[in-house]
Amino acid sequence: MAFLRRLKRILTALTAAVLFACFFAGLAPLKSRAIETYADPEKLAAFTAAVDSGLSSYSKNIDISALAIHSSEIVNFAQAYRNSAPLSFLMATKYSYSLSGQTVGTLKMSYADGIGSKDDVTRLIGVYTSAVDAIVSGIREEWPAEAKLLYLNDWFCCNYVYDFDYAVADAYGLVSGRKGVCQAFTLLAKGVLDRLGIENDTVTSNNLDHIWNRVKLGGNWYHIDFTWSNRNVRGYCYHDHFLRGEENFNVSHVKNEKDWISCFSAEDCGPDTYYDSGALWYGSNSAFVFSGGFWFFSGWDAGKPYIAATRDFYNVDARIVFDDLWYSDGARYSYYPKSYSCIKALGRYVLFTGAEGLYVLDTSNSVISAVADSAKLEISSPESIYGMEDLGGSVLLTVRTKPPTGGAGWNDTFVKEITVEIPSGYVPDEASAALAALVSYEQVDGKFYIFGVPAGTSEEVFLNTVAGSKDGNSIADNGLVGTGTVVSFGNADYTVSVAGDVDGDGDSDSGDAGRLIKAMLNPEEYRVAYRQDYNGDGNFDADDAVYLQKHASEPESFPVAVK
C-alpha cells in the first residue's frame, strides 16, 4: 500500500505538471539535443492499444502480461498514456496492478467521475468521436498534408479557448465544454491526426509545464503547438508555432537536456526549416479559410489592410487592398486587420470583420458591402469586434474594449456578443456548396485551369461558387457552363475544364466524342481547351474519343474524371 500511495503521488504530480501552459513566451534559443522517450515506443503502442480496448469495453481488469512491462516501468507507461491517448479521459487518476514475477500482469482500472457503466463509456466516446468527425468533415482528402494541418490549427483557434481555471485537461472536456488547457488541446489534436493518418507524436516539457504535438512530413519531424496558436479570440490564429523545425521552435520552447520527452519516437526534429521560408501563414494571424479552390486570409502590408487568396500558401494569387474599413472613427489600431479581422468564405463571397462592422467582399468585382455597421451593432469607441464564431447561416461577434490578455482576468474587457444573420444572397445554396467542394484552381504546363466542374453545371451555380469574374461570352447558350469558359481572378485567367465536355456546350454526350476526333485530325481548326486523358491510360489519343462515346451511353460504367 505504501508503494501505491507513492505511485499515486507521482502520477498526481506528473499530471499536474502538464495542466499549466505558458500562454505567452519569449525565450532564447538553446542548442538542439535529442528528445527522450517515456518508454520503448513499440511496447508503448501495444500498451496504448490494450488500455484503449479495455477502457472502451468498461473492463476493470486489463491483461497486459504479454507486454512484459517491469514493475519499475509502469509509472512511465501510465504517464505516457495520459499524455498521448485521446481516450485517457475515461481513466481515473487512481489505479493499481498485480504482478507476475517482476512484470505487471493485470491493470486494475478505476474510471473517471460520472462513469459507472458501459453505457456511460459509450456515451462519452460518442461525444468525442462526433467532435472528431465534425473536424475531419471539413478537410478534403486531396489536400496536401500542410493544408490539412493548417485547417486543423485554425479550426482549434476558431472553436476553442484556453481554460484559465486550469480544470479541463482531456479531449472529452475540451469538445464538450469548448475550453481546456494544453493537455486537452494536444490530446484532441492527436486524435484528429491519427484519424487523418498523419504520423504524429506528443512532446512534454517539465521546464515549461507544457505539452504539444509534432508531425512527420517528408521524413522530417515538425512541431505544432495548438495551444500557443490560440489567443482566446475566435478567428485569431497565431501561426508562429506551426510546422516549426527544431531551430525556430526553440525560440519560444526552450529545450534543456532531457527536458523534452516524447511518447512514440526518439527521433529529433532536427534543424529543418522547410516550412519556415516564405510560408504566407507566418505573415497573417487570421484564419485561412478554403472556398472554391482558394485559401482566403486577411493581412496588413505597407500600411494597407487586405484580403488575399492563395492556392499553395507561398504565392499570393489575388490581393484586394482597402483603406478605411478598419478605421471608422479615425485612428484605429494598425494591427487590427493583421491580427483580429475574422474571415469566412462563402463561395465567391468573403465575409470579414472590421473594427466596428461586418462586411462582405464580392470577389467577382472587388466590391465590398456592409452586412452590419457600427450603428446596427450598437458599437462605439473604444469598443471593437474581437472574435467571430461561424454558426453556419449566422455568425457570433464578440465585442470588447481591448484585445483579451492571458491569465485569470483574460475576459475583463468583454462587452457583449451579437448574433448576425448572414443575408441569404451571400449563403451558398446546396448546389453551390456541393460544387465548391469539387472545384480546384491549378496550373498545368504554364496555363491556369479550373477543374472539378461536373457536366450539366448551370451558369448561375458556377458563378455563385467560384472566385473571380467571367471573361467574355464563353458560357454555353443553354445556361450551362462549358469547357473553355474563362474566369479572371487576381493575377491570372483560368480556363474551365468541364468533365467530359469537349465542344464547350456544358454537356458530356456523343457530340464530344465526335469533336475530339475532329480535334485530333485537324487540331488547328478544332481546338480543345484542355487535352484530358479520359480513359486514364496516360495518353491523349483516339482511344479517349471511343471512351467518351461509351461514357455518353453508359456514364456510370464509364465515368469521366474531373481532371
Side-chain angles (χ1 to χ4, degrees):
M1 291 301 294
F3 176 79
L4 292 180
R5 287 195 295 271
R6 179 172 175 267
L7 175 61
K8 180 179 179 180
R9 287 197 300 269
I10 292 173
L11 285 175
T12 302
L14 287 172
T15 301
V18 294
L19 288 181
F20 174 75
C22 301
F23 212 63
F24 300 101
L27 302 173
L30 296 181
K31 183 179 179 181
S32 174
R33 298 180 178 89
I35 288 180
E36 301 292 324
T37 55
Y38 283 101
D40 175 76
E42 291 187 7
K43 188 177 288 189
L44 176 59
F47 176 85
T48 299
V51 176
D52 275 352
S53 177
L55 291 174
S56 298
S57 60
Y58 194 60
S59 174
K60 295 187 178 181
N61 296 286
I62 302 175
D63 183 5
I64 60 169
S65 58
L67 302 180
I69 298 175
H70 194 273
S71 59
S72 64
E73 298 177 306
I74 190 62
V75 172
N76 286 344
F77 275 88
Q79 189 59 39
Y81 182 80
R82 295 181 189 282
N83 288 342
S84 64
L87 293 185
S88 60
F89 61 81
L90 297 170
M91 179 181 178
T93 301
K94 180 181 179 181
Y95 72 95
S96 61
Y97 55 86
S98 63
L99 293 175
S100 177
Q102 296 295 315
T103 62
V104 177
T106 302
L107 287 175
K108 300 181 182 299
M109 307 304 300
S110 296
Y111 286 78
D113 291 343
I115 300 178
S117 67
K118 177 64 164 41
D119 288 343
D120 291 332
V121 169
T122 301
R123 175 176 54 81
L124 267 63
I125 291 179
V127 172
Y128 161 78
T129 302
S130 296
V132 174
D133 290 344
I135 299 172
V136 172
S137 68
I139 298 176
R140 290 170 62 159
E141 185 176 351
E142 69 272 17
W143 286 351
E146 60 266 29
K148 296 176 181 178
L149 292 168
L150 182 63
Y151 177 93
L152 180 58
N153 180 85
D154 292 0
W155 201 96
F156 269 58
C157 293
C158 292
N159 290 275
Y160 300 130
V161 295
Y162 189 79
D163 177 19
F164 284 107
D165 293 325
Y166 311 116
V168 179
D170 60 71
Y172 174 80
L174 180 60
V175 300
S176 59
R178 304 185 67 193
K179 66 178 181 179
V181 298
C182 57
Q183 191 169 13
F185 277 71
T186 300
L187 292 174
L188 178 58
K190 189 178 192 314
V192 178
L193 293 170
D194 289 343
R195 177 78 69 85
L196 293 174
I198 297 175
E199 186 173 356
N200 69 95
D201 201 353
T202 63
V203 183
T204 59
S205 167
N206 287 332
N207 182 59
L208 293 173
D209 293 328
H210 194 38
I211 182 171
W212 63 93
N213 302 83
R214 62 178 184 152
V215 297
K216 194 172 187 179
L217 304 179
N220 294 311
W221 285 97
Y222 300 92
H223 297 279
I224 304 178
D225 193 327
F226 292 94
T227 309
W228 284 11
S229 291
N230 191 294
R231 287 295 184 266
N232 275 24
V233 175
R234 291 191 173 104
Y236 180 129
C237 304
Y238 197 56
H239 298 111
D240 277 12
H241 309 299
F242 176 73
L243 283 184
R244 289 294 198 184
E246 205 89 326
E247 182 177 345
N248 288 327
F249 199 66
N250 266 343
V251 172
S252 57
H253 290 65
V254 65
K255 182 178 182 183
N256 292 334
E257 186 175 3
K258 296 185 179 180
D259 181 54
W260 286 10
I261 306 176
S262 73
C263 289
F264 295 104
S265 176
E267 293 180 347
D268 200 60
C269 284
D272 187 84
T273 58
Y274 177 79
Y275 294 102
D276 294 349
S277 304
L280 293 171
W281 55 67
Y282 292 130
S284 174
N285 293 331
S286 89
F288 279 65
V289 294
F290 184 82
S291 183
F294 286 98
W295 292 87
F296 292 90
F297 62 99
S298 65
W300 173 267
D301 183 50
K304 300 287 186 180
Y306 63 79
I307 299 289
T310 179
R311 289 177 292 118
D312 60 9
F313 305 117
Y314 288 88
N315 298 284
V316 174
D317 293 285
R319 177 180 290 180
I320 302 168
V321 178
F322 315 113
D323 288 320
D324 300 321
L325 293 182
W326 283 275
Y327 313 102
S328 57
D329 70 344
R332 300 300 290 172
Y333 307 114
S334 62
Y335 55 78
Y336 187 93
K338 178 180 178 180
S339 297
Y340 294 107
S341 181
C342 304
I343 186 170
K344 172 181 171 67
L346 300 164
R348 77 186 230 201
Y349 300 103
V350 178
L351 191 74
F352 63 95
T353 60
E356 298 172 335
L358 182 65
Y359 304 93
V360 65
L361 164 68
D362 186 342
T363 63
S364 69
N365 53 24
S366 299
V367 171
I368 295 175
S369 303
V371 175
D373 58 17
S374 59
K376 182 176 180 179
L377 298 176
E378 298 182 347
I379 294 176
S380 59
S381 182
E383 299 170 352
S384 292
I385 299 171
Y386 291 106
M388 179 177 77
E389 183 178 352
D390 185 359
L391 302 178
S394 62
V395 293
L396 181 66
L397 305 180
T398 301
V399 179
R400 301 178 181 275
T401 55
K402 292 181 180 179
T405 58
W410 75 274
N411 206 29
D412 289 349
T413 62
F414 175 83
V415 177
K416 61 182 177 180
E417 291 182 330
I418 309 169
T419 300
V420 179
E421 296 294 325
I422 302 173
S424 59
Y426 299 130
V427 179
D429 58 21
E430 185 174 343
S432 296
L435 180 60
L438 297 174
V439 298
S440 63
Y441 288 59
E442 301 181 32
Q443 186 174 358
V444 179
D445 297 329
K447 297 181 179 180
F448 296 92
Y449 296 93
I450 298 178
F451 296 115
V453 181
T457 299
S458 73
E459 174 183 354
E460 180 182 6
V461 169
F462 177 78
L463 294 179
N464 280 334
T465 303
V466 300
S469 58
K470 178 176 70 71
D471 185 20
N473 298 309
S474 52
I475 296 284
D477 59 9
N478 57 2
L480 303 180
V481 59
T483 293
T485 299
V486 177
V487 172
S488 298
F489 184 59
N491 306 324
D493 293 333
Y494 296 84
T495 299
V496 178
S497 175
V498 176
D501 174 32
V502 179
D503 57 18
D505 66 356
D507 280 323
S508 180
D509 50 31
S510 58
D512 295 295
R515 174 67 181 229
L516 188 56
I517 292 174
K518 291 179 181 179
M520 291 176 178
L521 295 174
N522 190 350
E524 291 300 320
E525 182 176 351
Y526 297 97
R527 296 179 180 273
V528 293
Y530 179 66
R531 297 167 63 87
Q532 182 170 339
D533 171 27
Y534 291 104
N535 64 357
D537 65 357
N539 299 310
F540 179 71
D541 52 29
D543 290 339
D544 292 298
V546 174
Y547 188 87
L548 269 184
Q549 186 66 51
K550 294 179 179 178
H551 168 73
S553 302
E554 302 178 63
E556 293 185 3
S557 300
F558 299 92
V560 172
V562 296
K563 177 182 176 182

